[in-house]
Amino acid sequence: MIVVTGATGRIGRRVVEALVAQGEQVRAVTRDPSAARATLGDAVDIASADLADQRAVTRAMRHARSVFLCSSVHPDQVALQGHVVNAATEAGARVVKLSGLATFPGSYVDSGRWHAETEDAIRRSGLPHTFLHPYFFSQNLAFALRDARERGVITSAIPDARIAMVDVRDIAAVAATVLRDAACAPATTLALTGPDAVSYGDVAAILANLLGRSVACRTLTHEQLAAGLRSAGQPEWHTRLLLQFNQAFAAGLARQPTTAVADVLGRAPIPVEASLRAMAGPSPRDSDPFPS
């Protein structure tokens, strides 16, 4: 049995779909079994568990040979993901964990520090593992489409920073492949990127071509960005985190493309233009503009 946490999210559900398509037995861990069944179909075993409930998580992990550890970024995530690590340790299961940008001990990016703490716990558990480090989801650009269409503008506080964005479809495909066969991972930590690093200025040019209209990139100050996030109802911890991401992008922490996607999948990663083309279609599948 392969267990997937975050199974109804934009990456988790794709991991489930890929594993089912490859004939694997999959158990989806979810707080909402009805919604999970509607999303994932009848070929998946559904386990009802909140990651805050250690007993429920442990029950969900029974007979697991490998576990995909993915949950929304949150100040409590170290404790929540720690329950999955505990359960995986009891089951003796391999862990494939989705981490992210600037994941290292003492990181000035809060989520990177939280991910690093969980990764350290996994190493100390002695469990076999693979850590996935996508820098930035291409699908996070979905927030720019409406303004690009209607006003011919996108905004960024870091318009010139180059970012090696990665499509969530590639992240899910890598995760599913490594969950099935650890030998497919050339290292225990894989930095996942697309084929090129692009700036928001580049994104504006791509959108102009896709939408058939001029699209400009307008620069925001960090203060304007923070004010916009707060007015949109983002909690203070999340506003601070997104500003930290921008700091990391400006410092070049996401600038360098890697070969990890191609190494695992045996094909080139999806470029940003293809990601934007899919999102600009009549029925985009994802519209959440923030990392998760």
Side-chain angles (χ1 to χ4, degrees):
M1 182 72 71
I2 297 177
V3 175
V4 177
T5 65
T8 58
R10 58 180 167 177
I11 294 177
R13 70 171 182 265
R14 289 178 168 93
V15 173
V16 171
E17 290 168 357
L19 291 171
V20 169
Q22 293 161 2
E24 295 290 345
Q25 287 185 298
V26 181
R27 179 178 296 136
V29 180
T30 178
R31 290 177 295 179
D32 189 342
S34 297
R37 181 64 68 199
T39 300
L40 303 175
D42 295 329
V44 179
D45 183 41
I46 304 293
S48 177
D50 189 310
L51 296 190
D53 185 341
Q54 179 69 80
R55 290 185 179 182
V57 173
T58 299
R59 286 195 300 271
M61 219 64 62
R62 287 175 181 164
H63 308 300
R65 83 169 193 265
S66 58
V67 178
F68 181 56
L69 175 51
C70 172
S71 67
S72 297
V73 171
H74 190 274
D76 296 333
Q77 77 174 56
V78 174
L80 298 174
Q81 293 196 358
H83 291 158
V84 179
V85 176
N86 293 339
T89 301
E90 186 170 326
R94 185 166 176 274
V95 178
V96 176
K97 171 173 160 47
L98 184 67
S99 294
L101 177 70
T103 294
F104 52 81
S107 177
Y108 61 81
V109 176
D110 289 343
S111 61
R113 189 172 63 257
W114 300 334
H115 286 310
E117 289 181 32
T118 302
E119 289 187 353
D120 184 60
I122 293 169
R123 291 188 189 95
R124 287 186 282 105
S125 75
L127 292 173
H129 57 269
T130 302
F131 302 141
L132 306 181
H133 289 195
Y135 297 148
F136 184 92
F137 302 166
S138 298
Q139 279 69 17
N140 289 342
L141 296 173
F143 79 95
L145 281 169
R146 184 172 182 177
D147 281 347
R149 279 196 182 100
E150 296 179 0
R151 301 195 296 119
V153 65
I154 65 172
T155 59
S156 174
I158 47 165
D160 300 321
R162 305 197 71 80
I163 305 170
M165 305 177 186
V166 62
D167 195 289
V168 297
R169 292 171 290 181
D170 281 342
I171 300 171
V174 168
T177 301
V178 175
L179 283 162
R180 296 183 72 224
D181 181 6
C184 291
T188 56
T189 298
L190 304 178
L192 303 182
T193 77
D196 304 296
V198 300
S199 69
Y200 275 89
D202 296 329
V203 170
I206 294 169
L207 286 172
N209 182 59
L210 290 175
L211 300 175
R213 63 157 301 162
S214 62
V215 178
C217 180
R218 180 167 63 87
T219 302
L220 298 176
T221 66
H222 291 289
E223 292 76 17
Q224 289 171 325
L225 174 61
L229 291 167
R230 293 182 182 114
S231 67
Q234 290 299 314
E236 193 60 33
W237 68 264
H238 205 225
T239 296
R240 182 176 65 252
L241 176 59
L242 293 174
L243 294 174
Q244 291 166 348
F245 283 153
N246 276 1
Q247 181 183 353
F249 293 142
L253 267 63
R255 184 182 180 91
Q256 185 61 49
T258 74
T259 64
V261 170
D263 291 342
V264 174
L265 301 181
R267 62 162 175 79
I270 299 168
V272 169
E273 182 175 0
S275 303
L276 285 168
R277 184 180 298 111
M279 287 185 281
S283 301
R285 196 171 183 191
D286 297 290
S287 59
D288 181 0
F290 299 113
S292 60

